Amino acid sequence: MQKPFFSIIIPAYNLENYIAAALQSVLVQTFQDFEIIIVDDGSSDETVSIIQSFHDPRIRLVSQVNGGVSRARNAGMKKAVGAYIAFMDGDDYWYPEHLELAADFFNRHPEILAYANRYMRDELAAIPPRPPSYPESIRRLGIRGVLFMNSSSVILNSFLASRLPPPGKKRCPMGKTACTGHGACGGQA
């Protein structure tokens, strides 16, 4: 079986009122080459049963004891096999062309390892306009250079994601898994 273009990681904790809409927004994407990894972070409501009501072979459910959203995302990344890892919060939704725009971008710029979309019209990148989601004063700040970005718009090349240090462990900026005393990171051999 061929690896999917995207692995979509969705952490979920007590999201019974939102998870169905989030999943549906992924399933109706105009770009369909993906797997969905939902990490239930110890929900005590009906989140899991709602996820299980979706019968799509691309959906995988991983359950863990509650450890927080970062731990859930990391658990999902460990299961991911796609060329790119897309993050989506379980109470968010994507516009139908979200993955298509990202796939087109990565196909045109394979040297780029990360992508994020702030859902505002960008004349240079020809990103289609979307309904404003922030008050006018905040939109003006974004246009001036303050980037308002949601984690649900971030997509990483899987190579980059695999090079991130495990939680609680610093990675030496020289690319070493343990400092060898070169001094660049202040560590000692």
Side-chain angles (χ1 to χ4, degrees):
M1 184 157 109
Q2 186 176 348
K3 291 184 179 186
F5 195 86
F6 292 112
S7 290
I8 301 164
I9 311 298
I10 304 176
Y13 176 72
N14 289 343
L15 294 176
E16 66 184 6
N17 294 326
Y18 307 100
I19 194 67
L23 271 172
Q24 193 60 37
S25 79
V26 174
L27 294 172
V28 300
Q29 289 293 300
T30 55
F31 186 90
Q32 289 282 306
D33 187 7
F34 58 77
E35 66 172 346
I36 303 170
I37 303 167
I38 305 168
V39 182
D40 176 63
D41 194 33
S43 295
S44 58
D45 64 359
E46 295 300 313
T47 298
V48 171
S49 62
I50 292 168
I51 294 165
Q52 291 172 334
S53 72
F54 285 81
H55 302 288
D56 188 304
R58 297 171 295 179
I59 298 174
R60 288 192 284 158
L61 175 62
V62 177
S63 294
Q64 67 180 30
V65 175
N66 182 261
V69 68
S70 296
R71 186 170 172 259
R73 282 192 188 105
N74 289 335
M77 286 173 55
K78 288 178 185 174
K79 304 283 185 187
V81 298
Y84 296 91
I85 297 175
F87 298 102
M88 180 183 199
D89 293 338
D91 59 352
D92 282 345
Y93 72 94
W94 283 342
Y95 288 96
E97 72 283 356
H98 177 70
L99 292 179
E100 182 178 1
L101 289 171
D104 179 61
F105 176 83
F106 283 122
N107 285 327
R108 285 187 290 121
H109 305 284
E111 74 282 5
I112 303 295
L113 301 178
Y115 171 94
N117 188 334
R118 61 184 172 154
Y119 292 99
M120 297 177 77
R121 184 165 177 80
D122 181 342
E123 297 294 333
L124 296 176
I127 296 170
R130 292 175 171 78
S133 57
Y134 298 108
E136 183 63 31
S137 60
I138 294 177
R139 282 200 309 272
R140 273 192 244 119
L141 286 173
I143 290 170
R144 283 189 207 132
V146 177
L147 180 60
F148 289 94
M149 182 175 61
N150 184 295
S151 59
S152 290
S153 76
V154 176
I155 301 174
L156 303 176
N157 179 291
S158 60
F159 172 77
L160 175 64
S162 71
R163 307 226 0 124
L164 296 174
K169 183 175 182 175
K170 291 183 180 179
R171 183 176 294 264
C172 170
M174 301 301 291
K176 302 179 181 357
T177 56
C179 185
T180 58
H182 50 76
C185 63
Q188 300 173 359

PDB file of all heavy atoms in Angstrom, residues 55-77:
ATOM      1  N   HIS A  55     -17.087   5.373   9.492  1.00  0.00           N
ATOM      2  CA  HIS A  55     -16.570   4.128   8.922  1.00  0.00           C
ATOM      3  C   HIS A  55     -15.770   4.432   7.658  1.00  0.00           C
ATOM      4  O   HIS A  55     -16.218   4.217   6.543  1.00  0.00           O
ATOM      5  CB  HIS A  55     -17.714   3.151   8.636  1.00  0.00           C
ATOM      6  CG  HIS A  55     -18.505   2.830   9.865  1.00  0.00           C
ATOM      7  ND1 HIS A  55     -18.015   2.038  10.877  1.00  0.00           N
ATOM      8  CD2 HIS A  55     -19.739   3.226  10.258  1.00  0.00           C
ATOM      9  CE1 HIS A  55     -18.919   1.937  11.834  1.00  0.00           C
ATOM     10  NE2 HIS A  55     -19.968   2.655  11.486  1.00  0.00           N
ATOM     11  N   ASP A  56     -14.576   4.946   7.883  1.00  0.00           N
ATOM     12  CA  ASP A  56     -13.672   5.268   6.788  1.00  0.00           C
ATOM     13  C   ASP A  56     -12.343   4.600   7.114  1.00  0.00           C
ATOM     14  O   ASP A  56     -11.805   4.819   8.200  1.00  0.00           O
ATOM     15  CB  ASP A  56     -13.513   6.788   6.674  1.00  0.00           C
ATOM     16  CG  ASP A  56     -12.745   7.206   5.430  1.00  0.00           C
ATOM     17  OD1 ASP A  56     -11.591   6.732   5.258  1.00  0.00           O
ATOM     18  OD2 ASP A  56     -13.274   8.009   4.637  1.00  0.00           O
ATOM     19  N   PRO A  57     -11.812   3.785   6.222  1.00  0.00           N
ATOM     20  CA  PRO A  57     -10.579   3.044   6.526  1.00  0.00           C
ATOM     21  C   PRO A  57      -9.361   3.939   6.755  1.00  0.00           C
ATOM     22  O   PRO A  57      -8.351   3.479   7.285  1.00  0.00           O
ATOM     23  CB  PRO A  57     -10.384   2.149   5.301  1.00  0.00           C
ATOM     24  CG  PRO A  57     -11.172   2.784   4.213  1.00  0.00           C
ATOM     25  CD  PRO A  57     -12.320   3.498   4.870  1.00  0.00           C
ATOM     26  N   ARG A  58      -9.456   5.202   6.392  1.00  0.00           N
ATOM     27  CA  ARG A  58      -8.328   6.115   6.610  1.00  0.00           C
ATOM     28  C   ARG A  58      -8.254   6.633   8.039  1.00  0.00           C
ATOM     29  O   ARG A  58      -7.273   7.269   8.427  1.00  0.00           O
ATOM     30  CB  ARG A  58      -8.411   7.297   5.643  1.00  0.00           C
ATOM     31  CG  ARG A  58      -8.305   6.877   4.186  1.00  0.00           C
ATOM     32  CD  ARG A  58      -8.596   8.028   3.266  1.00  0.00           C
ATOM     33  NE  ARG A  58      -9.992   8.445   3.414  1.00  0.00           N
ATOM     34  CZ  ARG A  58     -10.569   9.436   2.760  1.00  0.00           C
ATOM     35  NH1 ARG A  58      -9.861  10.141   1.894  1.00  0.00           N
ATOM     36  NH2 ARG A  58     -11.834   9.745   2.943  1.00  0.00           N
ATOM     37  N   ILE A  59      -9.284   6.368   8.832  1.00  0.00           N
ATOM     38  CA  ILE A  59      -9.331   6.865  10.210  1.00  0.00           C
ATOM     39  C   ILE A  59      -8.758   5.817  11.155  1.00  0.00           C
ATOM     40  O   ILE A  59      -9.190   4.666  11.152  1.00  0.00           O
ATOM     41  CB  ILE A  59     -10.775   7.210  10.633  1.00  0.00           C
ATOM     42  CG1 ILE A  59     -11.337   8.327   9.753  1.00  0.00           C
ATOM     43  CG2 ILE A  59     -10.821   7.605  12.111  1.00  0.00           C
ATOM     44  CD1 ILE A  59     -12.809   8.626   9.997  1.00  0.00           C
ATOM     45  N   ARG A  60      -7.781   6.234  11.955  1.00  0.00           N
ATOM     46  CA  ARG A  60      -7.235   5.380  13.021  1.00  0.00           C
ATOM     47  C   ARG A  60      -7.424   6.090  14.349  1.00  0.00           C
ATOM     48  O   ARG A  60      -7.115   7.277  14.472  1.00  0.00           O
ATOM     49  CB  ARG A  60      -5.745   5.104  12.813  1.00  0.00           C
ATOM     50  CG  ARG A  60      -5.468   4.157  11.670  1.00  0.00           C
ATOM     51  CD  ARG A  60      -4.030   3.686  11.695  1.00  0.00           C
ATOM     52  NE  ARG A  60      -3.144   4.733  11.220  1.00  0.00           N
ATOM     53  CZ  ARG A  60      -1.856   4.809  11.491  1.00  0.00           C
ATOM     54  NH1 ARG A  60      -1.280   3.913  12.265  1.00  0.00           N
ATOM     55  NH2 ARG A  60      -1.116   5.777  10.998  1.00  0.00           N
ATOM     56  N   LEU A  61      -7.918   5.357  15.333  1.00  0.00           N
ATOM     57  CA  LEU A  61      -8.130   5.909  16.668  1.00  0.00           C
ATOM     58  C   LEU A  61      -7.075   5.345  17.607  1.00  0.00           C
ATOM     59  O   LEU A  61      -6.894   4.131  17.697  1.00  0.00           O
ATOM     60  CB  LEU A  61      -9.538   5.566  17.170  1.00  0.00           C
ATOM     61  CG  LEU A  61      -9.872   5.973  18.604  1.00  0.00           C
ATOM     62  CD1 LEU A  61      -9.803   7.489  18.787  1.00  0.00           C
ATOM     63  CD2 LEU A  61     -11.254   5.445  18.985  1.00  0.00           C
ATOM     64  N   VAL A  62      -6.369   6.234  18.277  1.00  0.00           N
ATOM     65  CA  VAL A  62      -5.381   5.861  19.283  1.00  0.00           C
ATOM     66  C   VAL A  62      -5.893   6.418  20.602  1.00  0.00           C
ATOM     67  O   VAL A  62      -6.257   7.592  20.677  1.00  0.00           O
ATOM     68  CB  VAL A  62      -3.995   6.478  18.958  1.00  0.00           C
ATOM     69  CG1 VAL A  62      -2.989   6.166  20.039  1.00  0.00           C
ATOM     70  CG2 VAL A  62      -3.511   6.014  17.592  1.00  0.00           C
ATOM     71  N   SER A  63      -5.924   5.580  21.637  1.00  0.00           N
ATOM     72  CA  SER A  63      -6.391   6.035  22.947  1.00  0.00           C
ATOM     73  C   SER A  63      -5.239   6.046  23.934  1.00  0.00           C
ATOM     74  O   SER A  63      -4.377   5.161  23.905  1.00  0.00           O
ATOM     75  CB  SER A  63      -7.507   5.128  23.468  1.00  0.00           C
ATOM     76  OG  SER A  63      -8.642   5.243  22.639  1.00  0.00           O
ATOM     77  N   GLN A  64      -5.228   7.050  24.788  1.00  0.00           N
ATOM     78  CA  GLN A  64      -4.195   7.145  25.822  1.00  0.00           C
ATOM     79  C   GLN A  64      -4.790   7.793  27.066  1.00  0.00           C
ATOM     80  O   GLN A  64      -5.842   8.421  27.007  1.00  0.00           O
ATOM     81  CB  GLN A  64      -2.998   7.951  25.316  1.00  0.00           C
ATOM     82  CG  GLN A  64      -3.293   9.416  25.082  1.00  0.00           C
ATOM     83  CD  GLN A  64      -2.071  10.186  24.589  1.00  0.00           C
ATOM     84  OE1 GLN A  64      -1.211   9.649  23.926  1.00  0.00           O
ATOM     85  NE2 GLN A  64      -2.004  11.465  24.926  1.00  0.00           N
ATOM     86  N   VAL A  65      -4.098   7.634  28.174  1.00  0.00           N
ATOM     87  CA  VAL A  65      -4.470   8.305  29.411  1.00  0.00           C
ATOM     88  C   VAL A  65      -4.234   9.795  29.206  1.00  0.00           C
ATOM     89  O   VAL A  65      -3.288  10.190  28.521  1.00  0.00           O
ATOM     90  CB  VAL A  65      -3.614   7.769  30.595  1.00  0.00           C
ATOM     91  CG1 VAL A  65      -3.903   8.535  31.872  1.00  0.00           C
ATOM     92  CG2 VAL A  65      -3.850   6.289  30.774  1.00  0.00           C
ATOM     93  N   ASN A  66      -5.080  10.615  29.812  1.00  0.00           N
ATOM     94  CA  ASN A  66      -4.965  12.063  29.628  1.00  0.00           C
ATOM     95  C   ASN A  66      -3.571  12.557  29.976  1.00  0.00           C
ATOM     96  O   ASN A  66      -3.079  12.338  31.071  1.00  0.00           O
ATOM     97  CB  ASN A  66      -6.009  12.788  30.489  1.00  0.00           C
ATOM     98  CG  ASN A  66      -5.951  14.278  30.280  1.00  0.00           C
ATOM     99  OD1 ASN A  66      -5.367  14.992  31.071  1.00  0.00           O
ATOM    100  ND2 ASN A  66      -6.546  14.743  29.203  1.00  0.00           N
ATOM    101  N   GLY A  67      -2.946  13.209  28.986  1.00  0.00           N
ATOM    102  CA  GLY A  67      -1.600  13.740  29.184  1.00  0.00           C
ATOM    103  C   GLY A  67      -1.435  15.114  28.574  1.00  0.00           C
ATOM    104  O   GLY A  67      -0.348  15.671  28.579  1.00  0.00           O
ATOM    105  N   GLY A  68      -2.496  15.651  28.004  1.00  0.00           N
ATOM    106  CA  GLY A  68      -2.425  16.976  27.402  1.00  0.00           C
ATOM    107  C   GLY A  68      -2.286  16.921  25.890  1.00  0.00           C
ATOM    108  O   GLY A  68      -1.916  15.902  25.317  1.00  0.00           O
ATOM    109  N   VAL A  69      -2.566  18.053  25.272  1.00  0.00           N
ATOM    110  CA  VAL A  69      -2.617  18.127  23.814  1.00  0.00           C
ATOM    111  C   VAL A  69      -1.254  17.877  23.167  1.00  0.00           C
ATOM    112  O   VAL A  69      -1.173  17.245  22.117  1.00  0.00           O
ATOM    113  CB  VAL A  69      -3.241  19.468  23.363  1.00  0.00           C
ATOM    114  CG1 VAL A  69      -2.343  20.644  23.682  1.00  0.00           C
ATOM    115  CG2 VAL A  69      -3.585  19.443  21.882  1.00  0.00           C
ATOM    116  N   SER A  70      -0.182  18.335  23.779  1.00  0.00           N
ATOM    117  CA  SER A  70       1.150  18.119  23.192  1.00  0.00           C
ATOM    118  C   SER A  70       1.509  16.641  23.178  1.00  0.00           C
ATOM    119  O   SER A  70       2.021  16.120  22.183  1.00  0.00           O
ATOM    120  CB  SER A  70       2.211  18.906  23.964  1.00  0.00           C
ATOM    121  OG  SER A  70       1.969  20.281  23.848  1.00  0.00           O
ATOM    122  N   ARG A  71       1.234  15.966  24.277  1.00  0.00           N
ATOM    123  CA  ARG A  71       1.508  14.527  24.336  1.00  0.00           C
ATOM    124  C   ARG A  71       0.652  13.780  23.313  1.00  0.00           C
ATOM    125  O   ARG A  71       1.122  12.842  22.662  1.00  0.00           O
ATOM    126  CB  ARG A  71       1.237  14.004  25.745  1.00  0.00           C
ATOM    127  CG  ARG A  71       1.629  12.567  25.922  1.00  0.00           C
ATOM    128  CD  ARG A  71       1.575  12.163  27.409  1.00  0.00           C
ATOM    129  NE  ARG A  71       1.782  10.746  27.523  1.00  0.00           N
ATOM    130  CZ  ARG A  71       0.806   9.859  27.703  1.00  0.00           C
ATOM    131  NH1 ARG A  71      -0.450  10.255  27.823  1.00  0.00           N
ATOM    132  NH2 ARG A  71       1.076   8.576  27.784  1.00  0.00           N
ATOM    133  N   ALA A  72      -0.588  14.204  23.147  1.00  0.00           N
ATOM    134  CA  ALA A  72      -1.469  13.565  22.162  1.00  0.00           C
ATOM    135  C   ALA A  72      -0.948  13.784  20.739  1.00  0.00           C
ATOM    136  O   ALA A  72      -0.925  12.854  19.932  1.00  0.00           O
ATOM    137  CB  ALA A  72      -2.896  14.105  22.304  1.00  0.00           C
ATOM    138  N   ARG A  73      -0.510  15.006  20.423  1.00  0.00           N
ATOM    139  CA  ARG A  73       0.050  15.257  19.090  1.00  0.00           C
ATOM    140  C   ARG A  73       1.302  14.410  18.848  1.00  0.00           C
ATOM    141  O   ARG A  73       1.484  13.847  17.776  1.00  0.00           O
ATOM    142  CB  ARG A  73       0.391  16.741  18.915  1.00  0.00           C
ATOM    143  CG  ARG A  73      -0.807  17.601  18.624  1.00  0.00           C
ATOM    144  CD  ARG A  73      -0.388  18.994  18.165  1.00  0.00           C
ATOM    145  NE  ARG A  73      -1.569  19.825  18.092  1.00  0.00           N
ATOM    146  CZ  ARG A  73      -1.886  20.770  18.975  1.00  0.00           C
ATOM    147  NH1 ARG A  73      -1.084  21.023  19.986  1.00  0.00           N
ATOM    148  NH2 ARG A  73      -2.985  21.463  18.836  1.00  0.00           N
ATOM    149  N   ASN A  74       2.159  14.333  19.860  1.00  0.00           N
ATOM    150  CA  ASN A  74       3.377  13.520  19.721  1.00  0.00           C
ATOM    151  C   ASN A  74       3.041  12.051  19.511  1.00  0.00           C
ATOM    152  O   ASN A  74       3.684  11.374  18.696  1.00  0.00           O
ATOM    153  CB  ASN A  74       4.277  13.695  20.949  1.00  0.00           C
ATOM    154  CG  ASN A  74       4.922  15.063  21.001  1.00  0.00           C
ATOM    155  OD1 ASN A  74       5.102  15.723  19.982  1.00  0.00           O
ATOM    156  ND2 ASN A  74       5.258  15.505  22.198  1.00  0.00           N
ATOM    157  N   ALA A  75       2.040  11.540  20.212  1.00  0.00           N
ATOM    158  CA  ALA A  75       1.625  10.142  20.027  1.00  0.00           C
ATOM    159  C   ALA A  75       1.129   9.921  18.606  1.00  0.00           C
ATOM    160  O   ALA A  75       1.429   8.900  17.977  1.00  0.00           O
ATOM    161  CB  ALA A  75       0.539   9.772  21.043  1.00  0.00           C
ATOM    162  N   GLY A  76       0.384  10.881  18.065  1.00  0.00           N
ATOM    163  CA  GLY A  76      -0.095  10.780  16.692  1.00  0.00           C
ATOM    164  C   GLY A  76       1.039  10.825  15.691  1.00  0.00           C
ATOM    165  O   GLY A  76       1.054  10.071  14.706  1.00  0.00           O
ATOM    166  N   MET A  77       2.030  11.666  15.938  1.00  0.00           N
ATOM    167  CA  MET A  77       3.174  11.766  15.030  1.00  0.00           C
ATOM    168  C   MET A  77       3.940  10.450  14.966  1.00  0.00           C
ATOM    169  O   MET A  77       4.447  10.077  13.909  1.00  0.00           O
ATOM    170  CB  MET A  77       4.100  12.901  15.456  1.00  0.00           C
ATOM    171  CG  MET A  77       3.544  14.275  15.134  1.00  0.00           C
ATOM    172  SD  MET A  77       4.508  15.659  15.794  1.00  0.00           S
ATOM    173  CE  MET A  77       6.116  15.342  15.127  1.00  0.00           C
TER     174      MET A  77
END
